[in-house]
């Protein structure tokens, strides 16, 4: 079905589910809230599109390791502690091991890397504007945000994937993906953002690259080199260290 099609299913069905559950139109929003929700929804949709494009070109664990530098940057930019500078250096070293500087065996697709970095930027903005959206009542913020994301991802998916999206098995899979990877997680994230700082929330994602790499290996048979596993471990350690530092500050 393609990247655009699966993104359309993930975001589109999630928007319908969240709108039905939270009915956000029952509470008015201010003009400032509307602007925040517009940005929040846009980066949410772009983050989904870009990370799926990255998955299509490079191993999942590596794509998520690059993507997690987005929330890592949010935490590091909010701190001036020496420990956090050390975390930044460790993350940079991990990226150095991942990126195809030498052009040798195991070189990654540059386009896949670019998409992953684009998703990282969107994830950083998602945390910033998601924090603001979390101030809205109930699941109002995530419901409106998902609707905004669907306004451009769904038409794009239909244009690119067409009739392939109508196959019954694809529809059922799309609904499952929408519930398990968007509707539930994004709702829980917005709830969590109410009580956590941006930095601490961002760094609680520190295990994501390792879990993704393991899932890619066990389910998809994606094989990583020793240096790529070391690179992922460096980024995970950098994220975990920053998470601990943020926890101390809070």
């Amino acid at each position: 079905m393609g990247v655009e099609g699966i993104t359309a299913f993930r975001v589109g069905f999630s928007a319908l589910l969240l709108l039905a559950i939270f009915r956000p139109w029952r509470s008015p929003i201010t003009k400032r809230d509307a602007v925040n929700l517009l940005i929040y929804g846009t980066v949410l949709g772009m983050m989904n599109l870009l990370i799926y494009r990255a998955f299509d070109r490079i191993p999942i664990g590596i794509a998520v390791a690059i993507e997690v530098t987005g929330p890592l940057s949010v935490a590091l930019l909010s701190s001036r502690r020496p420990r956090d500078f050390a975390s930044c250096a460790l993350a940079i070293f991990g990226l150095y091991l991942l990126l195809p500087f030498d052009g040798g065996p195991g070189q990654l697709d540059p386009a896949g890397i670019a998409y992953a970095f684009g998703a990282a930027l969107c994830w950083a903005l998602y945390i910033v504007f998601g924090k603001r959206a979390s101030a809205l009542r109930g699941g109002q913020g995530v419901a409106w945000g998902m609707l905004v994301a669907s306004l451009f991802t769904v038409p794009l998916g239909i244009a690119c994937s067409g009739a392939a999206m109508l196959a019954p098995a694809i529809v059922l899979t799309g609904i499952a993906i929408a519930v398990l990877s968007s509707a539930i997680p994004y709702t829980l994230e917005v709830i969590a953002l109410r009580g956590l700082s941006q930095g601490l929330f961002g760094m609680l994602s520190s295990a994501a690259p390792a879990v993704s790499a393991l899932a890619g290996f066990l389910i998809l048979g994606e094989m990583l080199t020793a240096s790529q596993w070391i690179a992922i471990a460096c980024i995970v350690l950098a994220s975990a260290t920053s998470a601990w530092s943020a926890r101390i500050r809070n």
Side-chain angles (χ1 to χ4, degrees):
M1 184 172 54
V3 169
E4 292 80 8
I6 197 62
T7 304
F9 266 121
R10 177 177 179 174
V11 175
F13 277 126
S14 295
L16 291 176
L17 288 170
L18 293 171
L19 288 171
I21 292 171
F22 295 112
R23 290 177 286 178
W25 54 83
R26 294 181 299 174
S27 300
I29 58 174
T30 66
K31 183 177 180 180
R32 181 179 179 182
D33 288 334
V35 173
N36 286 334
L37 290 171
L38 180 63
I39 299 173
Y40 169 65
T42 300
V43 298
L44 177 60
M46 287 302 301
M47 181 172 66
N48 279 274
L49 275 172
L50 291 171
I51 196 59
Y52 272 117
R53 283 194 170 276
F55 289 165
D56 194 39
R57 290 167 172 78
I58 60 178
I60 289 176
I62 294 176
V64 176
I66 295 173
E67 187 190 27
V68 85
T69 60
L72 176 60
S73 300
V74 171
L76 294 175
L77 290 173
S78 64
S79 174
R80 296 295 184 270
R81 295 167 63 95
R83 179 186 301 166
D84 293 321
F85 286 112
S87 299
C88 182
L90 187 60
I92 291 173
F93 177 69
L95 289 174
Y96 171 79
L97 294 177
L98 281 181
L99 301 183
F101 293 115
D102 57 5
Q107 180 179 6
L108 300 174
D109 183 344
I113 293 173
Y115 286 132
F117 273 115
L121 174 61
C122 289
W123 196 353
L125 294 173
Y126 164 82
I127 293 174
V128 173
F129 290 95
K131 177 69 174 178
R132 300 175 185 178
S134 68
L136 296 176
R137 180 181 177 183
Q140 189 180 20
V142 70
W144 282 129
M146 198 67 73
L147 176 62
V148 171
S150 70
L151 293 179
F152 66 91
T153 57
V154 171
L156 181 62
I158 293 173
C160 294
S161 301
M165 298 178 66
L166 300 178
I170 294 294
V171 172
L172 291 175
T173 302
I175 293 174
I177 290 173
V179 172
L180 297 174
S181 67
S182 290
I184 294 175
Y186 289 136
T187 300
L188 294 176
E189 286 180 356
V190 167
I191 293 172
L193 277 166
R194 292 177 192 160
L196 300 175
S197 68
Q198 294 175 7
L200 180 55
F201 171 82
M203 289 311 98
L204 289 177
S205 304
S206 60
V211 173
S212 300
L214 186 60
F217 170 71
L218 294 176
I219 300 173
L220 301 177
E222 293 181 342
M223 304 296 293
L224 303 182
T225 65
S227 64
Q228 288 170 341
W229 278 109
I230 293 171
I232 289 174
C234 288
I235 294 173
V236 168
L237 181 59
S239 299
T241 302
S242 293
W244 179 256
S245 179
R247 178 178 179 273
I248 293 173
R249 290 196 302 271
N250 288 276

